[in-house]
Amino acid sequence: MTETRKITRRAALAGLSTALATPAFRPSFAQAAPIKIGVLHSLSGTMAISETALRDTVLMMVEHQNSKGGLLGRRLEAVVVDPASNWPLFAEKARELLQVHKVDVTFGCWTSVSRKSVLPVFEELNGMLFYPVQYEGEEESRNIFYTGAAPNQQAIPAVEYLMGPDGGEAKRIALLGTDYVYPRTTNRILRGYLNSKGITDADIMEEYTPFGHSDWQGIVARVKRFAGEGKKTAIVSTINGDANVPFYRELGNQGIKAEDIPCVAFSVGEEELAGIDARPLVGHLAAWNYFMSVQSPANTEFKNLWQAYIKNPRRVTNDPMEATYTGFNMWAQAVAKANTTAVDAVRTAVIGEKFAAPSGYTEEMLPNHHLSKPVMIGEIQADGQFNIVYKTPAVVPAENWSQFIPENANRRRG
Amino acid sequence: MKRTILLLFLLLAAMPARAQDAFLAALPGLGGGFGAQVEAVGQLGTLGDPRALPILTALSEGRLLRLADGTLLIRDGTRLLNAATGAPVDVAEADTQRVTINNRVRGALRGALGQLQIISPNSAERLAAADAIFRARSAENVPLLDAALARESVPEVRDRIALALAASRLVATNPADKLAGITALGETASPQARSILLEARAANPEVATQIDAAVAAIDQRLAIRRAAETLFQGLSLGSVLLLAALGLAVTFGVMGVINMAHGEFVMLGAYTTVMVQDFARDIPWLQPWSLPIAVPAAFLVTAAIGAAMERGLIRHLYGRPLETLLLTFGVGMMIQQAVRLIFGAQNREVISPPWMQGTLMLPFDIPVTANRLWILCFSLVIFGLILAAIRMTRFGLEMRAVTQRRPIAAAMGIRTGRVDALTFAFGSGIAGIAGVALSQIDNVSPNLGTGYIIDSFLVVVFGGVGSLAGTLIAAFGLGVINKMLEPWAGAVLAKVFVLVAVMAFIQRRPRGLFPQKGRAAEA
């Protein structure tokens, strides 16, 4: 009896050690050092709500790439740091990634202010950053690749839609935003655009509120009054973060229906709608370059990959996650093409790289370090998803220097 | 004679057949592109065929499905019905595709549903229909509305139909109709009527003077209403400030404990609401009561945590305000992070009961949002209860005795330690109740409390530490001033102005609006 048990245990041990030693147990890699992927997203503080999902997206891609055999026969390894929604800390952490961990590429940042904070570090140390969020443009660094939308790929087509027959032919626009650089720059571009379309300043209302503003009754009442001057009115919202929930609740309570005053938002996606009862908001709009409801084989693959990785079949995907996914794939393709991870070689290789993105379109990295992307307008539905009511027939090349800002008159156009 | 009867018979037979044909002919358009949908919806509305009603309702509610061959189906609960015949169909829902609409179709649907529902036997439906036609306004609807007005008996619905008729007449070609429409609209105090009049002004230069007069008349009525609206908004903001500050008025004002974790107690109250609602979700009869139940629940939860905090930590630091400040600040951060770990960083959804949604009309047509009106009343009730508890109960008496002169109170046989714990628990519990109310207007996230802590201290200090009446007046005063400044200064600057004004005031009167007098003030 004792004898048998001993043998069994020994057999088991032997079996285990064989299993561990067998290369078939995990993908085999040559003995080369791993390729290091830096992840620079806030995991604590105010931005953690949005950025945690992006960290998970990069980790998912690293795991996925390794399961396909890594890159150049080398394993990928993620280096995750937490800049804690603290803008100067972003620069410190970027320096740490580049100098201490010697990462080959970094995926990171959400707010424009954090990007502005790390830009000099990446330029000084010749690093490579993929930035996945729609932003206000007016920037072009040789060390940064912008995989989110430039204003001409989001804000302007959205306003064009509102002024078109399907959007309700709006003649007056209320620009509501949170008080920081992205909304102010975007609204400046939009004002230039609207003026060029014959909408005078008298028909434009512009209001800013602090981060986390929760008392919207006065502003919404003023928008109602502004809309009551006999011209079809629409709201363009660059309200960011937490302030959106009370804003939409106030819209619902004051009975502003999407048929009367549609509101198009640039920072509200599937994740943000998770905390709101979306029923009173049906018909209000959002402009992005990707919605989870896009029907394309690439999107099915992306959603399956994500929900399997996060082990939750109800988790949503959103635009910045798709931009991270696309950016990662483009980088991997460029590394394979250049046969090295050296920043200068990859930088040249990635220009002109094409990828069939989950948006259902083939997106291309342009010489101005931005992508060509489709523009989509979605209407909010009762379940918090978007019903795509408009998309551009082809991809739109990014214009990071807006033609509607007078100072850019002499700039070259991407 | 015979021939006439025959003709009549033929006519009668042909009429429904033709209507039916038109009905069936318009139907497939509903499954087409947005342009085709708008056209089909318009046709179905004008046809007035009652069978269109369930189909259009299904379309507007997202229950209209399409098979691959273009057949339209209605989802009715778990059954699928053929839209054209109303007969149940045996198809798997996976084989169907939902018919989607956009805002333009939604607008057309509203008009068509209005046309179909104006003959409904249900007066609420007729009211909604009149409003829908008012917004859609088309000259075609004038005869329909005339007929509806003639047989309408409910006065409220009559008024609305008359308004819809006026708006529809405005776009008519007949000048007399137009003038009648303008006059009727000018007698209202409705911003929508004003908007419609201004819209019509450019198209009808011949009646511009009448329109201007009508708009001026509406403006005059609106000016009074606007002032009332601003006042209400200010009171509403004040009620939020009051709720947030009341708990602090007890812990800081009465006890003198600088409790930086106060905001976190508010947040815990909001999370208690979420938990009560989650619990009530599966129990139908409990659902409408989840919010009222959350009030005592939040009070008990936060009061218990407050009592534990006072007994465990704060009582060791009485008389050392700086240490108390740091300690409570740290505890606040721990509570916040604990909530983040347990519930996640994402916002939690709080359901508003139906009686807290939408807009109510006060006398003189002053619109107020229901949730804010309830919160205003709620804050006053809570204020009254606190005042009563402090003034009229044994506990209140002991509390005042201990805070005024601790050794004497102890000598009179009051167990001061117990009173301290209870007072702090009381203040914390009130913060929890505030959380229940705030969950209805703000995000329920771990950061909820941080936004209110500064405002709370501001209100308590401005009102005069230790004075509950001061807290009340300071909260409403700051709210109203803020809202009066907002229209011309903007939300950001208005807040800055208020802060500067309070700072200037505190410079001159450091003890606030209602300073405490007597020996207690020096203690």
Side-chain angles (χ1 to χ4, degrees):
Chain A
M1 185 69 189
T2 354
E3 194 57 23
T4 343
R5 200 155 74 203
K6 229 179 228 165
I7 286 171
T8 328
R9 195 163 61 197
R10 201 173 295 154
L13 270 175
L16 192 67
S17 53
T18 336
L20 279 177
T22 316
F25 209 59
R26 46 175 138 150
S28 63
F29 294 106
Q31 285 308 303
I35 299 175
K36 288 190 171 178
I37 315 283
V39 185
L40 186 63
H41 283 300
S42 301
L43 310 178
S44 51
T46 49
M47 291 312 295
I49 294 185
S50 309
E51 291 194 63
T52 322
L54 295 190
R55 179 221 30 201
D56 292 335
T57 311
V58 182
L59 293 183
M60 169 186 88
M61 290 311 292
V62 167
E63 194 189 279
H64 183 61
Q65 193 70 39
N66 280 337
S67 75
K68 289 197 296 189
L71 261 178
L72 310 177
R74 289 161 70 189
R75 207 165 58 80
L76 268 55
E77 186 185 299
V79 182
V80 180
V81 290
D82 177 16
S85 314
N86 174 343
W87 320 134
L89 193 59
F90 265 91
E92 273 175 50
K93 289 290 175 186
R95 193 171 285 280
E96 180 190 322
L97 282 176
L98 290 170
Q99 284 185 325
V100 180
H101 300 292
K102 306 217 179 312
V103 296
D104 296 284
V105 64
T106 304
F107 293 85
C109 300
W110 181 293
T111 56
S112 287
V113 52
S114 66
R115 189 191 64 251
K116 297 263 185 216
S117 149
V118 301
L119 184 139
V121 180
F122 277 92
E123 288 191 343
E124 178 198 329
L125 302 172
N126 195 25
M128 183 182 264
L129 172 72
F130 278 80
Y131 173 69
V133 183
Q134 41 87 353
Y135 81 120
E136 68 280 2
E138 307 306 301
E139 193 179 295
E140 189 174 325
S141 161
R142 62 196 291 270
N143 296 84
I144 301 182
F145 287 93
Y146 307 79
T147 56
N152 75 313
Q153 291 172 312
Q154 191 191 26
I156 289 176
V159 174
E160 218 162 42
Y161 175 81
L162 288 176
M163 291 161 65
D166 272 329
E169 299 182 340
K171 300 277 185 288
R172 305 193 102 189
I173 305 281
L175 304 169
L176 305 183
T178 303
D179 201 2
Y180 77 109
V181 54
Y182 164 68
R184 281 199 181 262
T185 316
T186 306
N187 287 341
R188 193 162 162 233
I189 295 170
L190 285 180
R191 191 178 276 273
Y193 170 77
L194 289 171
N195 287 345
S196 81
K197 292 283 165 189
I199 292 189
T200 57
D201 283 345
D203 285 330
I204 303 174
M205 164 181 172
E206 204 172 332
E207 284 253 5
Y208 294 96
T209 49
F211 268 104
H213 190 68
S214 65
D215 194 333
W216 288 94
Q217 31 176 356
I219 291 176
V220 171
R222 271 204 294 293
V223 169
K224 257 172 119 172
R225 217 169 291 147
F226 179 71
E229 307 279 334
K231 283 182 187 169
K232 174 77 182 180
T233 306
I235 304 173
V236 173
S237 151
T238 39
I239 300 164
N240 250 266
D242 272 4
N244 273 304
V245 178
F247 170 65
Y248 278 115
R249 195 170 279 165
E250 192 68 35
L251 278 189
N253 278 334
Q254 293 209 17
I256 293 192
K257 292 262 189 308
E259 303 97 286
D260 303 322
I261 311 178
C263 170
V264 61
F266 300 154
S267 306
V268 175
E270 289 84 351
E271 285 263 311
E272 285 76 11
L273 284 181
I276 319 180
D277 176 10
R279 275 169 299 170
L281 307 178
V282 169
H284 286 303
L285 307 145
W288 289 105
N289 310 94
Y290 163 85
F291 286 108
M292 192 181 176
S293 55
V294 166
Q295 308 222 331
S296 75
N299 190 30
T300 314
E301 188 191 331
F302 173 48
K303 286 193 292 192
N304 289 343
L305 198 64
W306 168 245
Q307 288 169 343
Y309 176 80
I310 210 82
K311 295 188 185 66
N312 179 354
R314 298 218 320 253
R315 266 300 281 270
V316 293
T317 57
N318 64 14
D319 182 276
M321 285 168 62
E322 189 253 10
T324 303
Y325 177 84
T326 305
F328 191 98
N329 280 306
M330 285 202 171
W331 171 80
Q333 287 173 9
V335 168
K337 191 167 107 186
N339 202 23
T340 169
T341 58
V343 167
D344 292 313
V346 176
R347 177 169 39 235
T348 337
V350 79
I351 305 285
E353 206 55 60
K354 290 189 172 75
F355 178 70
S359 62
Y361 292 73
T362 299
E363 301 182 358
E364 186 186 340
M365 181 60 80
L366 304 172
N368 64 2
H369 286 208
H370 289 65
L371 289 177
S372 60
K373 289 164 113 32
V375 185
M376 305 181 185
I377 314 272
E379 284 189 359
I380 298 176
Q381 292 186 286
D383 60 357
Q385 284 286 323
F386 288 88
N387 167 25
I388 300 165
V389 291
Y390 168 82
K391 50 183 165 186
T392 46
V395 287
V396 179
E399 217 176 72
N400 51 331
W401 302 108
S402 176
Q403 51 175 312
F404 297 107
I405 287 195
E407 293 91 310
N408 288 342
N410 302 321
R411 290 228 191 235
R412 75 183 167 81
R413 298 242 182 276
Chain B
M1 186 64 192
K2 237 180 204 167
R3 197 182 282 171
T4 332
I5 291 175
L6 190 72
L7 203 72
L8 211 73
F9 178 76
L10 273 176
L11 251 174
L12 277 174
M15 251 172 55
R18 257 197 39 224
Q20 186 168 356
D21 283 347
F23 169 74
L24 289 177
L27 219 46
L30 293 180
F34 296 137
Q37 282 179 322
V38 170
E39 204 170 305
V41 168
Q43 281 170 359
L44 289 174
T46 348
L47 277 175
D49 190 322
R51 281 174 306 162
L53 193 56
I55 303 173
L56 295 184
T57 316
L59 180 61
S60 72
E61 288 169 0
R63 290 187 291 109
L64 196 68
L65 310 172
R66 180 179 39 205
L67 282 177
D69 64 356
T71 316
L72 294 174
L73 307 175
I74 296 175
R75 189 176 58 220
D76 182 26
T78 52
R79 293 186 308 160
L80 292 178
L81 309 175
N82 186 313
T85 60
V89 213
D90 192 26
V91 198
E93 202 172 324
D95 298 334
T96 62
Q97 215 184 348
R98 208 159 65 83
V99 179
T100 54
I101 54 176
N102 71 358
N103 280 331
R104 196 150 64 98
V105 182
R106 222 169 264 127
L109 266 176
R110 190 168 60 185
L113 283 172
Q115 288 172 323
L116 292 171
Q117 281 178 327
I118 198 86
I119 47 172
S120 156
N122 178 339
S123 69
E125 270 182 21
R126 289 200 303 275
L127 195 75
D131 280 349
I133 297 179
F134 173 74
R135 287 172 198 233
R137 64 186 172 285
S138 140
E140 285 171 25
N141 290 333
V142 172
L144 185 72
L145 289 168
D146 262 331
L149 193 62
R151 60 169 181 268
E152 186 57 63
S153 53
V154 184
E156 201 190 345
V157 184
R158 261 190 85 86
D159 289 352
R160 301 285 183 93
I161 294 181
L163 211 58
L165 182 60
S168 302
R169 275 191 175 148
L170 200 56
V171 288
T173 38
N174 178 348
D177 267 5
K178 235 180 249 180
L179 281 179
I182 293 169
T183 321
L185 288 175
E187 281 162 9
T188 65
S190 145
Q192 278 142 340
R194 181 175 187 273
S195 170
I196 290 174
L197 283 169
L198 284 174
E199 218 166 283
R201 194 180 183 280
N204 303 289
E206 76 279 5
V207 286
T209 41
Q210 284 91 332
I211 289 182
D212 284 343
V215 169
I218 294 178
D219 274 346
Q220 210 172 3
R221 283 178 218 118
L222 277 181
I224 302 164
R225 187 204 285 187
R226 198 163 296 169
E229 250 182 77
T230 309
L231 183 69
F232 174 76
Q233 287 166 6
L235 290 178
S236 160
L237 177 63
S239 71
V240 170
L241 291 174
L242 179 66
L243 273 172
L246 269 178
L248 201 72
V250 174
T251 51
F252 176 56
V254 179
M255 285 180 82
V257 174
I258 300 181
N259 181 15
M260 295 299 284
H262 174 74
E264 273 58 51
F265 285 121
V266 175
M267 183 260 290
L268 285 174
Y271 270 90
T272 312
T273 317
V274 171
M275 281 166 70
V276 169
Q277 285 197 340
D278 278 352
F279 176 73
R281 191 156 297 177
D282 302 324
I283 310 168
W285 61 267
L286 202 61
Q287 252 174 6
W289 298 102
S290 61
L291 210 59
I293 292 172
V295 173
F299 182 85
L300 291 177
V301 168
T302 48
I305 297 173
M309 187 170 150
E310 200 275 345
R311 283 293 86 180
L313 302 165
I314 294 176
R315 72 177 165 134
H316 304 296
L317 296 173
Y318 280 140
R320 288 151 69 187
L322 207 61
E323 282 90 335
T324 318
L325 187 148
L326 288 174
L327 175 94
T328 51
F329 191 61
V331 170
M333 281 167 75
M334 280 160 66
I335 295 178
Q336 204 177 338
Q337 198 59 36
V339 169
R340 196 170 279 136
L341 285 174
I342 298 169
F343 295 96
Q346 244 72 6
N347 288 333
R348 293 297 297 256
E349 187 183 337
V350 176
I351 303 151
S352 299
W355 44 269
M356 281 190 81
Q357 286 173 359
T359 307
L360 296 175
M361 283 293 167
L362 293 189
F364 307 107
D365 275 350
I366 299 161
V368 297
T369 44
N371 61 348
R372 299 222 169 240
L373 185 66
W374 276 106
I375 288 173
L376 179 59
C377 299
F378 182 72
S379 70
L380 291 174
V381 169
I382 296 294
F383 179 80
L385 286 178
I386 294 170
L387 211 61
I390 291 179
R391 289 275 167 80
M392 296 178 196
T393 63
R394 171 90 198 166
F395 161 65
L397 185 69
E398 290 181 355
M399 187 172 114
R400 280 179 291 147
V402 170
T403 47
Q404 280 177 14
R405 198 59 69 173
R406 182 177 296 269
I408 306 281
M412 300 298 249
I414 295 173
R415 288 161 63 193
T416 56
R418 187 169 153 269
V419 170
D420 284 334
L422 283 178
T423 310
F424 196 81
F426 183 59
S428 309
I430 294 164
I433 291 181
V436 178
L438 294 183
S439 75
Q440 291 297 317
I441 50 170
D442 206 343
N443 294 294
V444 180
S445 76
N447 303 330
L448 171 73
T450 2
Y452 290 101
I453 183 77
I454 296 183
D455 287 339
S456 309
F457 272 105
L458 189 76
V459 167
V460 174
V461 172
F462 181 55
V465 176
S467 160
L468 276 178
T471 306
L472 178 81
I473 289 168
F476 284 118
L478 290 178
V480 173
I481 291 171
N482 201 329
K483 284 293 158 189
M484 275 163 48
L485 287 174
E486 225 186 70
W488 60 270
V492 182
L493 273 184
K495 202 154 186 182
V496 172
F497 281 143
V498 168
L499 280 173
V500 170
V502 170
M503 264 156 56
F505 181 84
I506 296 289
Q507 287 288 316
R508 291 193 60 86
R509 295 185 62 174
R511 285 176 175 275
L513 280 174
F514 296 93
Q516 275 202 323
K517 295 188 183 76
R519 277 187 297 180
E522 277 84 53

